[in-house]
Amino acid sequence: FALMMTNSILVSDKILPPELVSVFLKGGGSLDIKSVKKKPKEWIPDKSWLDCVALSAYPTFANLLESMVTNDKQWQNWYDKEAPENVRIPDFEDVVTPFERMCLVKALRED
């Protein structure tokens, strides 16, 4: 409840965009793995790929899927870290806000 209330306030105050909050809360849950761009590597769980597809609809992450294909080794190395939330995110570290960063970490490593 507290998270929903906080998000509602931040969206109302125009601090967070509602589209990104929606992706944070729902991810790619409404997408079908068979109807989206094929995931490039098997190390990416289906749910994580769907969440990344949903996130890529947001302008900051428009190149996310392409980056994951082009820089596969960097992304897999980041994904395999014990605590990826504490290390630089490939290609996006210097362009994301703290909330966008949290969305990306949640999309790939919900644990």
Side-chain angles (χ1 to χ4, degrees), residues 79 81-82 84-85 105-106 108-111:
Y79 178 85
K81 296 283 186 194
E82 179 71 28
E85 66 275 7
V105 170
K106 181 180 180 284
L108 280 162
R109 287 287 304 268
E110 196 164 357
D111 60 333

Side-chain angles (χ1 to χ4, degrees), residues 38-93:
K38 185 178 186 299
K39 71 179 181 174
K41 299 291 180 177
E42 285 304 311
W43 63 263
I44 306 169
D46 289 353
K47 183 188 180 319
S48 294
W49 182 248
L50 292 174
D51 289 350
C52 287
V53 169
L55 201 53
S56 72
Y58 186 73
T60 302
F61 298 109
N63 297 322
L64 176 60
L65 304 182
E66 179 182 329
S67 170
M68 292 178 77
V69 170
T70 306
N71 298 315
D72 168 60
K73 295 291 185 208
Q74 289 178 349
W75 280 101
Q76 185 174 9
N77 184 34
W78 179 85
Y79 178 85
D80 288 339
K81 296 283 186 194
E82 179 71 28
E85 66 275 7
N86 295 327
V87 297
R88 294 181 60 80
I89 298 173
D91 296 334
F92 288 86
E93 185 65 34

Side-chain angles (χ1 to χ4, degrees), residues 5-26:
M5 190 61 114
T6 301
N7 285 338
S8 179
I9 292 168
L10 293 173
V11 167
S12 294
D13 288 348
K14 298 188 183 339
I15 295 170
L16 292 179
E19 308 83 20
L20 191 56
V21 171
S22 179
V23 170
F24 176 76
L25 294 173
K26 299 174 188 170

